[in-house]
Coordinates of all heavy atoms in Angstrom, one line a residue:
M1 N 0.5 -17.9 209.1 CA 0.0 -16.6 209.4 C 1.1 -16.0 210.3 O 1.7 -16.6 211.2 CB -1.3 -16.7 210.2 CG -1.8 -15.4 210.5 SD -3.4 -15.3 211.5 CE -4.3 -16.7 211.1
E2 N 1.3 -14.7 210.1 CA 2.2 -13.9 210.9 C 1.7 -13.8 212.4 O 0.5 -13.6 212.6 CB 2.4 -12.5 210.3 CG 3.4 -11.7 211.1 CD 3.6 -10.3 210.4 OE1 3.6 -10.3 209.2 OE2 3.9 -9.4 211.1
Q3 N 2.6 -14.0 213.3 CA 2.3 -13.8 214.7 C 2.1 -12.3 215.1 O 2.8 -11.5 214.5 CB 3.3 -14.5 215.6 CG 3.5 -16.0 215.4 CD 2.2 -16.7 215.7 OE1 1.6 -16.5 216.8 NE2 1.7 -17.5 214.8
P4 N 1.2 -12.1 216.1 CA 1.1 -10.7 216.5 C 2.4 -10.1 217.0 O 3.3 -10.9 217.5 CB 0.1 -10.8 217.7 CG -0.7 -12.0 217.3 CD 0.3 -12.9 216.7
N5 N 2.6 -8.8 216.8 CA 3.8 -8.1 217.2 C 3.4 -7.1 218.3 O 2.6 -6.2 217.9 CB 4.4 -7.5 216.0 CG 5.6 -6.6 216.4 OD1 5.9 -6.4 217.5 ND2 6.3 -6.0 215.3
P6 N 3.8 -7.2 219.5 CA 3.3 -6.3 220.6 C 3.5 -4.8 220.3 O 2.9 -3.9 220.8 CB 4.1 -6.7 221.8 CG 4.7 -8.0 221.5 CD 4.7 -8.1 220.1
A7 N 4.5 -4.5 219.4 CA 4.8 -3.1 219.1 C 4.4 -2.7 217.7 O 4.7 -1.6 217.2 CB 6.3 -2.8 219.3
G8 N 3.7 -3.6 217.0 CA 3.3 -3.3 215.6 C 2.4 -2.1 215.5 O 1.6 -1.8 216.4
P9 N 2.4 -1.4 214.3 CA 1.6 -0.2 214.2 C 0.1 -0.6 213.8 O -0.7 0.3 213.7 CB 2.3 0.5 213.1 CG 2.9 -0.5 212.2 CD 3.3 -1.6 213.2
Y10 N -0.2 -1.8 213.5 CA -1.6 -2.2 213.1 C -2.2 -3.0 214.2 O -1.6 -4.0 214.7 CB -1.6 -3.0 211.8 CG -1.1 -2.1 210.7 CD1 0.2 -2.2 210.3 CD2 -1.9 -1.2 210.0 CE1 0.7 -1.4 209.2 CE2 -1.4 -0.4 209.0 CZ -0.1 -0.5 208.6 OH 0.4 0.2 207.6
R11 N -3.5 -2.7 214.5 CA -4.2 -3.4 215.6 C -5.5 -4.0 215.1 O -6.2 -3.3 214.3 CB -4.4 -2.5 216.8 CG -5.3 -3.1 217.9 CD -5.3 -2.1 219.1 NE -6.2 -1.0 218.8 CZ -6.4 0.0 219.7 NH1 -5.7 0.0 220.9 NH2 -7.2 1.0 219.4
V12 N -5.9 -5.2 215.5 CA -7.1 -5.8 215.1 C -7.9 -6.0 216.5 O -7.4 -6.5 217.4 CB -7.0 -7.1 214.5 CG1 -8.4 -7.8 214.2 CG2 -6.2 -7.0 213.2
R13 N -9.1 -5.5 216.5 CA -9.9 -5.6 217.7 C -11.4 -5.8 217.4 O -11.8 -5.5 216.3 CB -9.7 -4.4 218.7 CG -10.3 -3.1 218.1 CD -10.1 -2.0 219.1 NE -10.6 -0.7 218.6 CZ -11.8 -0.3 218.7 NH1 -12.7 -1.1 219.2 NH2 -12.2 0.9 218.2
T14 N -12.1 -6.3 218.3 CA -13.6 -6.5 218.2 C -14.3 -5.1 218.1 O -13.9 -4.2 218.8 CB -14.1 -7.3 219.4 OG1 -13.5 -8.5 219.5 CG2 -15.6 -7.6 219.2
L15 N -15.1 -5.0 217.1 CA -15.9 -3.8 216.9 C -17.1 -3.8 217.8 O -17.9 -4.7 217.7 CB -16.3 -3.6 215.4 CG -17.0 -2.4 215.0 CD1 -16.2 -1.1 215.3 CD2 -17.4 -2.5 213.6
T16 N -17.2 -2.7 218.6 CA -18.4 -2.5 219.4 C -19.1 -1.2 219.0 O -18.5 -0.2 219.1 CB -18.0 -2.5 220.9 OG1 -17.3 -3.6 221.2 CG2 -19.2 -2.4 221.8
H17 N -20.3 -1.3 218.6 CA -21.0 -0.1 218.2 C -21.4 0.8 219.3 O -21.8 0.3 220.4 CB -22.3 -0.5 217.4 CG -22.0 -1.3 216.1 ND1 -21.5 -0.7 215.0 CD2 -22.1 -2.5 215.9 CE1 -21.3 -1.6 214.1 NE2 -21.6 -2.8 214.6
G18 N -21.2 2.1 219.2 CA -21.5 3.0 220.2 C -20.5 3.0 221.4 O -20.9 3.5 222.5
E19 N -19.3 2.5 221.2 CA -18.4 2.4 222.3 C -17.9 3.8 222.7 O -17.7 4.7 221.9 CB -17.2 1.5 222.0 CG -16.4 1.9 220.8 CD -15.5 0.8 220.3 OE1 -15.6 -0.3 220.6 OE2 -14.6 1.2 219.6
Q20 N -17.7 3.9 224.0 CA -17.1 5.1 224.6 C -16.0 4.7 225.5 O -16.0 4.9 226.7 CB -18.2 5.9 225.4 CG -19.3 6.4 224.6 CD -18.9 7.5 223.7 OE1 -18.1 8.4 224.1 NE2 -19.5 7.6 222.5
L21 N -14.9 4.2 224.9 CA -13.8 3.7 225.7 C -12.6 4.6 225.5 O -12.4 5.1 224.4 CB -13.4 2.3 225.3 CG -14.5 1.2 225.5 CD1 -14.0 -0.1 224.9 CD2 -14.8 1.0 227.0
L22 N -11.8 4.7 226.5 CA -10.5 5.4 226.4 C -9.5 4.4 225.7 O -9.6 3.2 225.9 CB -9.9 5.8 227.8 CG -10.8 6.8 228.5 CD1 -10.2 7.0 229.9 CD2 -10.8 8.1 227.8
D23 N -8.6 4.9 224.9 CA -7.7 4.1 224.2 C -6.9 3.1 225.0 O -6.7 2.0 224.6 CB -6.8 4.9 223.3 CG -6.0 4.0 222.3 OD1 -6.6 3.3 221.6 OD2 -4.8 4.0 222.4
R24 N -6.5 3.5 226.2 CA -5.8 2.6 227.0 C -6.6 1.4 227.5 O -6.0 0.4 228.0 CB -5.1 3.3 228.2 CG -6.2 3.8 229.2 CD -5.5 4.6 230.4 NE -6.4 5.2 231.2 CZ -6.9 6.5 231.1 NH1 -6.4 7.2 230.1 NH2 -7.7 7.0 231.9
E25 N -7.9 1.5 227.4 CA -8.8 0.3 227.8 C -9.0 -0.7 226.6 O -9.5 -1.7 226.9 CB -10.1 0.9 228.3 CG -10.0 1.7 229.5 CD -11.3 2.3 229.9 OE1 -12.3 2.1 229.2 OE2 -11.4 3.1 230.9
V26 N -8.6 -0.3 225.4 CA -8.8 -1.1 224.3 C -7.6 -1.9 224.0 O -6.5 -1.4 224.0 CB -9.1 -0.2 223.0 CG1 -9.3 -1.1 221.8 CG2 -10.4 0.6 223.3
S27 N -7.8 -3.2 223.7 CA -6.6 -4.0 223.4 C -7.0 -4.9 222.2 O -8.1 -5.1 221.9 CB -6.3 -4.9 224.6 OG -7.3 -5.8 224.9
G28 N -5.9 -5.5 221.7 CA -6.1 -6.4 220.5 C -4.7 -6.7 220.0 O -3.7 -6.0 220.3
P29 N -4.6 -7.8 219.3 CA -3.3 -8.2 218.7 C -2.8 -7.1 217.8 O -3.6 -6.5 217.0 CB -3.5 -9.5 218.1 CG -5.0 -9.7 218.0 CD -5.6 -8.8 218.9
R30 N -1.5 -6.9 217.8 CA -0.9 -5.9 216.8 C 0.0 -6.6 215.9 O 0.7 -7.6 216.2 CB -0.1 -4.8 217.7 CG -1.1 -4.0 218.5 CD -0.4 -3.1 219.5 NE 0.4 -2.1 218.9 CZ 1.0 -1.1 219.5 NH1 0.8 -1.0 220.8 NH2 1.8 -0.3 218.8
F31 N 0.2 -6.0 214.7 CA 0.9 -6.6 213.6 C 1.8 -5.6 213.0 O 1.5 -4.4 213.0 CB 0.0 -7.2 212.5 CG -0.9 -8.3 213.0 CD1 -2.1 -8.0 213.7 CD2 -0.5 -9.6 213.0 CE1 -2.9 -9.0 214.1 CE2 -1.3 -10.6 213.5 CZ -2.5 -10.3 214.1
S32 N 2.9 -6.0 212.4 CA 3.9 -5.1 211.8 C 3.5 -4.7 210.4 O 4.0 -3.7 209.9 CB 5.3 -5.7 211.8 OG 5.3 -7.0 211.1
C33 N 2.6 -5.4 209.7 CA 2.2 -5.0 208.4 C 0.7 -5.1 208.2 O 0.0 -6.0 208.9 CB 2.9 -5.8 207.3 SG 2.4 -7.5 207.1
L34 N 0.1 -4.3 207.4 CA -1.3 -4.3 207.2 C -1.9 -5.6 206.6 O -2.9 -6.0 207.0 CB -1.6 -3.1 206.2 CG -3.1 -2.9 205.9 CD1 -3.9 -2.7 207.2 CD2 -3.3 -1.7 205.0
E35 N -1.1 -6.2 205.7 CA -1.6 -7.5 205.2 C -1.8 -8.5 206.2 O -2.8 -9.3 206.2 CB -0.6 -8.0 204.1 CG -1.0 -9.2 203.4 CD 0.0 -9.6 202.3 OE1 0.6 -8.8 201.7 OE2 0.1 -10.9 202.2
A36 N -0.9 -8.6 207.2 CA -1.0 -9.6 208.2 C -2.2 -9.3 209.1 O -3.0 -10.2 209.5 CB 0.2 -9.7 209.1
A37 N -2.5 -8.0 209.4 CA -3.6 -7.6 210.1 C -4.9 -8.0 209.4 O -5.9 -8.4 210.0 CB -3.6 -6.1 210.4
H38 N -4.9 -7.8 208.1 CA -6.1 -8.1 207.3 C -6.4 -9.6 207.3 O -7.5 -10.0 207.4 CB -6.0 -7.6 205.8 CG -6.3 -6.2 205.6 ND1 -7.2 -5.8 204.7 CD2 -5.9 -5.1 206.2 CE1 -7.3 -4.5 204.7 NE2 -6.5 -4.0 205.6
R39 N -5.3 -10.4 207.2 CA -5.6 -11.9 207.2 C -6.1 -12.3 208.5 O -7.0 -13.2 208.6 CB -4.2 -12.6 206.9 CG -3.8 -12.6 205.5 CD -2.7 -13.6 205.2 NE -1.5 -13.4 206.0 CZ -0.5 -12.7 205.7 NH1 -0.5 -12.1 204.5 NH2 0.5 -12.6 206.5
Y40 N -5.6 -11.8 209.6 CA -6.1 -12.1 211.0 C -7.5 -11.7 211.1 O -8.4 -12.5 211.6 CB -5.2 -11.5 212.0 CG -5.6 -11.8 213.4 CD1 -5.3 -13.1 214.0 CD2 -6.3 -10.9 214.2 CE1 -5.7 -13.4 215.3 CE2 -6.7 -11.3 215.5 CZ -6.3 -12.5 216.0 OH -6.7 -12.8 217.3
A41 N -7.8 -10.5 210.7 CA -9.2 -10.0 210.8 C -10.2 -10.9 210.0 O -11.3 -11.2 210.4 CB -9.3 -8.5 210.3
S42 N -9.8 -11.3 208.8 CA -10.6 -12.1 207.9 C -10.8 -13.4 208.6 O -11.9 -14.0 208.5 CB -9.9 -12.4 206.6 OG -9.9 -11.1 205.9
T43 N -9.8 -14.0 209.3 CA -10.0 -15.2 210.0 C -11.1 -15.1 211.1 O -12.0 -16.0 211.2 CB -8.7 -15.7 210.6 OG1 -7.8 -15.9 209.6 CG2 -8.9 -17.0 211.4
L44 N -11.0 -14.0 211.8 CA -12.0 -13.8 212.9 C -13.4 -13.6 212.4 O -14.4 -14.1 212.9 CB -11.6 -12.5 213.7 CG -10.4 -12.6 214.6 CD1 -10.1 -11.3 215.2 CD2 -10.5 -13.7 215.6
V45 N -13.5 -12.9 211.3 CA -14.9 -12.7 210.6 C -15.4 -14.0 210.1 O -16.5 -14.4 210.3 CB -14.8 -11.6 209.5 CG1 -16.0 -11.6 208.7 CG2 -14.4 -10.3 210.1
N46 N -14.6 -14.7 209.3 CA -15.0 -16.0 208.6 C -15.2 -17.2 209.5 O -16.2 -17.9 209.4 CB -14.1 -16.3 207.5 CG -14.1 -15.3 206.4 OD1 -15.1 -14.7 206.1 ND2 -12.9 -15.1 205.8
H47 N -14.4 -17.3 210.5 CA -14.5 -18.5 211.4 C -15.2 -18.2 212.7 O -15.9 -19.1 213.2 CB -13.1 -19.1 211.7 CG -12.4 -19.6 210.4 ND1 -11.5 -18.9 209.7 CD2 -12.6 -20.8 209.8 CE1 -11.2 -19.7 208.7 NE2 -11.8 -20.8 208.7
D48 N -15.0 -17.1 213.3 CA -15.6 -16.8 214.6 C -16.9 -15.9 214.5 O -17.5 -15.6 215.5 CB -14.6 -16.2 215.5 CG -13.4 -17.1 215.8 OD1 -13.6 -18.3 215.7 OD2 -12.4 -16.6 216.2
H49 N -17.1 -15.4 213.3 CA -18.3 -14.6 213.0 C -18.3 -13.3 213.9 O -19.4 -12.9 214.4 CB -19.6 -15.4 213.1 CG -19.6 -16.6 212.3 ND1 -19.7 -16.6 210.9 CD2 -19.5 -17.9 212.6 CE1 -19.7 -17.8 210.4 NE2 -19.6 -18.6 211.4
L50 N -17.2 -12.7 214.1 CA -17.1 -11.5 214.9 C -17.0 -10.3 213.9 O -16.6 -10.4 212.8 CB -15.8 -11.5 215.7 CG -15.7 -12.6 216.8 CD1 -14.3 -12.6 217.4 CD2 -16.7 -12.4 217.8
S51 N -17.5 -9.2 214.4 CA -17.3 -7.9 213.8 C -16.0 -7.3 214.3 O -15.8 -7.1 215.5 CB -18.4 -6.9 214.1 OG -19.6 -7.5 213.5
V52 N -15.0 -7.0 213.4 CA -13.7 -6.5 213.9 C -13.4 -5.2 213.1 O -14.0 -4.9 212.1 CB -12.6 -7.5 213.7 CG1 -12.9 -8.8 214.5 CG2 -12.4 -7.9 212.2
I53 N -12.4 -4.5 213.6 CA -11.9 -3.3 213.0 C -10.3 -3.4 213.0 O -9.7 -3.9 213.9 CB -12.4 -2.1 213.7 CG1 -11.9 -0.8 213.0 CG2 -11.9 -2.0 215.2 CD1 -12.7 0.4 213.4
V54 N -9.8 -3.0 211.9 CA -8.3 -2.9 211.8 C -7.9 -1.4 211.9 O -8.5 -0.5 211.2 CB -7.8 -3.4 210.4 CG1 -6.3 -3.3 210.3 CG2 -8.2 -4.9 210.2
E55 N -7.0 -1.1 212.8 CA -6.6 0.3 213.0 C -5.1 0.4 212.8 O -4.3 -0.5 213.0 CB -7.0 0.7 214.5 CG -8.4 0.6 214.8 CD -8.8 0.7 216.2 OE1 -8.1 0.1 217.1 OE2 -9.7 1.5 216.5
K56 N -4.7 1.7 212.6 CA -3.3 2.0 212.4 C -2.9 3.0 213.5 O -3.6 4.0 213.7 CB -2.9 2.5 211.1 CG -1.4 2.8 211.0 CD -1.0 3.2 209.6 CE 0.5 3.4 209.6 NZ 1.0 3.8 208.4
L57 N -1.8 2.8 214.1 CA -1.3 3.8 215.1 C -0.7 5.0 214.4 O 0.3 4.9 213.6 CB -0.2 3.1 216.0 CG 0.3 4.0 217.2 CD1 -0.8 4.4 218.1 CD2 1.4 3.2 217.9
A58 N -1.2 6.1 214.7 CA -0.8 7.4 214.0 C 0.4 7.9 214.8 O 0.6 7.6 216.0 CB -1.9 8.4 214.0
P59 N 1.2 8.8 214.1 CA 2.4 9.4 214.8 C 2.1 10.1 216.1 O 2.9 10.1 217.0 CB 3.0 10.3 213.8 CG 2.5 9.8 212.5 CD 1.2 9.2 212.7
G60 N 0.9 10.6 216.2 CA 0.5 11.3 217.4 C 0.1 10.4 218.6 O -0.2 10.9 219.7
G61 N 0.0 9.1 218.3 CA -0.3 8.2 219.4 C -1.8 7.7 219.4 O -2.2 6.9 220.2
C62 N -2.6 8.2 218.5 CA -4.0 7.8 218.4 C -4.2 6.7 217.4 O -3.4 6.6 216.5 CB -5.0 9.0 218.2 SG -4.7 9.8 216.6
W63 N -5.2 6.0 217.5 CA -5.5 4.9 216.5 C -6.5 5.3 215.5 O -7.6 5.9 215.8 CB -6.1 3.7 217.3 CG -5.0 3.0 218.1 CD1 -4.8 3.2 219.4 CD2 -4.1 2.0 217.7 NE1 -3.8 2.4 219.8 CE2 -3.3 1.7 218.8 CE3 -3.8 1.4 216.5 CZ2 -2.3 0.7 218.7 CZ3 -2.8 0.5 216.4 CH2 -2.1 0.2 217.5
L64 N -6.2 5.1 214.2 CA -7.0 5.5 213.1 C -7.7 4.3 212.5 O -7.0 3.3 212.2 CB -6.2 6.2 212.0 CG -5.4 7.4 212.5 CD1 -4.5 7.9 211.3 CD2 -6.3 8.5 212.9
P65 N -9.0 4.3 212.4 CA -9.7 3.1 211.9 C -9.4 3.0 210.3 O -9.5 4.0 209.7 CB -11.2 3.4 212.1 CG -11.3 4.8 212.5 CD -9.9 5.3 212.9
L66 N -9.1 1.8 209.9 CA -8.8 1.6 208.5 C -9.9 0.8 207.8 O -10.4 1.1 206.8 CB -7.5 0.9 208.3 CG -6.2 1.6 208.7 CD1 -5.0 0.7 208.6 CD2 -6.1 2.9 208.0
V67 N -10.2 -0.4 208.4 CA -11.2 -1.3 207.8 C -12.0 -1.9 208.9 O -11.5 -2.3 210.0 CB -10.5 -2.4 207.1 CG1 -11.5 -3.4 206.5 CG2 -9.6 -1.9 206.0
S68 N -13.3 -2.0 208.7 CA -14.2 -2.7 209.7 C -15.0 -3.7 209.0 O -15.2 -3.6 207.8 CB -15.0 -1.7 210.5 OG -15.9 -1.0 209.6

């Protein structure tokens, strides 16, 4: 499995319903490609039974949800 990349444009994080957090308070491992992010997210869902979301960093600096 690809290791997280601190500067990667894809982020995987735990999904919290009704969250009201500022982006700087949200953290999660980042990956350089979407496929690696999906594999990591699948591992969390299948083995740890977590609800997660995969996001992509947009050019403007905000995170866009891709898959939850």
Side-chain angles (χ1 to χ4, degrees):
M1 181 183 333
E2 183 175 329
Q3 295 298 312
N5 174 356
Y10 297 97
R11 174 172 74 183
V12 178
R13 65 178 180 88
T14 304
L15 179 62
T16 305
H17 298 285
E19 59 193 19
Q20 295 290 321
L21 300 174
L22 297 176
D23 188 56
R24 67 179 172 268
E25 297 174 0
V26 177
S27 65
R30 292 172 63 173
F31 297 87
S32 57
C33 73
L34 181 58
E35 184 178 325
H38 275 236
R39 281 194 306 267
Y40 181 77
S42 293
T43 300
L44 292 177
V45 170
N46 294 328
H47 292 98
D48 298 338
H49 307 289
L50 295 174
S51 296
V52 299
I53 186 165
V54 177
E55 300 171 311
K56 181 176 183 179
L57 184 60
C62 64
W63 289 96
L64 303 174
L66 298 176
V67 180
S68 62

